[in-house]
Amino acid sequence: MKAYVVKNGTHDSELFDPLKLHVSILSACMAVRAFEGEAHATAEQVCKHVIDWLTDKTEVTTHDIRRVTTEHLSAYHLDAAYIYDQQNMIV
Amino acid sequence: MTNSIDTTSFGLIMLLLVLAMVHSAFQLGISVLTLMSTHVLGRGKKAVRIRPMIATYVAVSILLTFCIMLIVIFGEILLLPPRSQATVWLILALITFAVGSIVMLRYHKPGKGTRLWIAGPIVRYFINRAERARSPLQSAKLASTAIITELPLTLVIFASSALVIIELLPADYYLTAIILYSLVVMLPLSIIATMIASGHKVSTIQRWRESNKYFIQYIAAFGLYGAGLYILVFLIGFGG
């Protein structure tokens, strides 16, 4: 899987990093006070879904990643999905 | 004006209360606190470690509001020409109407979230600093930046409230009035901070803020219009 992620503001692109996604999902889960084990398990499952979605893609935007991640995360943890989606819309 | 002293004092007290409540409705400080808490909690810090950062944030916000009010009051005492109060009230009323219109039309951005109409670089600054905040000192810097960023809108409220305090109270009571004003203004921030520190989820708080953002915005705008109208009719005497 070699999908490139184009950043929304700068239009720079970088190779998709599953670890970065895992950390951001983990952070969203911890922010809503989920248990650490639950947060890690949730992050792992959601990452798998996103990686599956990326299989046939060569280039996506950060907005796409956020949208798909939020969609899958909401099936596991609604509050974490909300915070993950809202992170850049609080200020 | 033919109002009795008591009615005038009561009117001024109500005006001060309305101004303090409108001031407390401004959301940037609360947004930045929520964002910072999201990132700090997201790093897996236990709630007990976030408490010093939140406490510092609230304390600095109150302190800075107090200091700004103190400066405005003494600035008005020292700089306003004698017998110019009617002119000053007129200017403040007009600016209050202008700020009320700005708040009505251009405070929260449309769409999801609780985004405000602030310049992009400033928003990015807050997002970056909130993400990197790891100590009470950094949360203090965030708090002071948030207060200062909102000054273009809140300065007229500071100025009007200061003038009310000068008219209403003898000099011995200025400090008490400023302390009470700062505490009232920062009450919503203190409540939100207490909720986060005591274990409430930031998602619950943010959902509430998102669903009530326009209500708060319009209440603040109408509060400003009401204050401006009161100043024009009762303090300057238009139409009377």
Side-chain angles (χ1 to χ4, degrees), chain B residues 137-206:
Chain B
L137 179 62
Q138 287 165 326
S139 75
K141 279 167 77 172
L142 272 172
S144 46
T145 311
I147 299 272
I148 289 165
T149 304
E150 275 201 317
L151 264 183
L153 293 181
T154 57
L155 196 55
V156 69
I157 302 175
F158 275 117
S160 304
S161 305
L163 211 51
V164 169
I165 289 171
I166 291 168
E167 282 209 9
L168 196 58
L169 298 169
D172 295 342
Y173 292 98
Y174 287 174
L175 218 54
T176 311
I178 298 170
I179 291 169
L180 286 174
Y181 179 86
S182 308
L183 291 174
V184 168
V185 166
M186 289 298 145
L187 190 59
L189 181 74
S190 309
I191 291 170
I192 301 264
T194 308
M195 288 175 72
I196 295 173
S198 64
H200 283 80
K201 291 182 189 173
V202 286
S203 54
T204 312
I205 294 165
Q206 183 59 17

Side-chain angles (χ1 to χ4, degrees), chain A residues 2-88:
Chain A
K2 279 195 190 290
Y4 281 84
V5 181
V6 179
K7 291 183 185 296
N8 284 332
T10 58
H11 298 283
D12 294 336
S13 65
E14 60 180 27
L15 202 57
F16 173 72
D17 185 355
L19 182 62
K20 235 173 147 175
L21 180 66
H22 183 103
V23 167
S24 66
I25 297 169
L26 187 68
S27 173
C29 291
M30 301 296 282
V32 295
R33 303 180 193 259
F35 295 112
E36 208 169 324
E38 177 194 357
H40 277 286
T42 302
E44 203 178 308
Q45 290 302 313
V46 173
C47 276
K48 278 186 189 157
H49 289 300
V50 175
I51 289 167
D52 286 342
W53 170 76
L54 277 170
T55 313
D56 58 345
K57 313 256 179 325
T58 50
E59 198 175 68
V60 295
T61 63
T62 48
H63 179 73
D64 293 328
I65 299 275
R66 191 165 289 278
R67 179 178 47 84
V68 173
T69 305
T70 305
E71 204 178 294
H72 289 292
L73 184 54
S74 58
Y76 293 93
H77 203 307
L78 217 49
D79 288 331
Y82 178 79
I83 282 295
Y84 183 85
D85 189 35
Q86 287 265 318
Q87 221 158 267
N88 292 333

Side-chain angles (χ1 to χ4, degrees), chain B residues 34-57:
Chain B
T34 309
L35 185 64
M36 182 189 75
S37 304
T38 304
H39 286 295
V40 171
L41 289 168
R43 284 196 291 271
K45 300 255 180 220
K46 301 272 188 268
V48 66
R49 292 186 200 162
I50 198 178
R51 283 177 196 151
M53 292 181 67
I54 288 177
T56 310
Y57 189 98

Side-chain angles (χ1 to χ4, degrees), chain B residues 81-162:
Chain B
R83 292 189 298 274
S84 65
Q85 274 188 336
T87 313
V88 173
W89 275 125
L90 179 62
I91 294 169
L92 287 176
L94 294 174
I95 298 174
T96 302
F97 281 125
V99 170
S101 301
I102 292 169
V103 169
M104 175 75 84
L105 299 170
R106 280 280 185 274
Y107 192 65
H108 280 112
K109 281 188 174 176
K112 287 200 288 184
T114 49
R115 289 175 303 165
L116 303 174
W117 279 102
I118 306 173
I122 299 175
V123 173
R124 280 191 291 278
Y125 170 84
F126 280 123
I127 292 174
N128 287 334
R129 298 312 324 164
E131 220 171 306
R132 286 159 178 72
R134 275 169 167 75
S135 67
L137 179 62
Q138 287 165 326
S139 75
K141 279 167 77 172
L142 272 172
S144 46
T145 311
I147 299 272
I148 289 165
T149 304
E150 275 201 317
L151 264 183
L153 293 181
T154 57
L155 196 55
V156 69
I157 302 175
F158 275 117
S160 304
S161 305

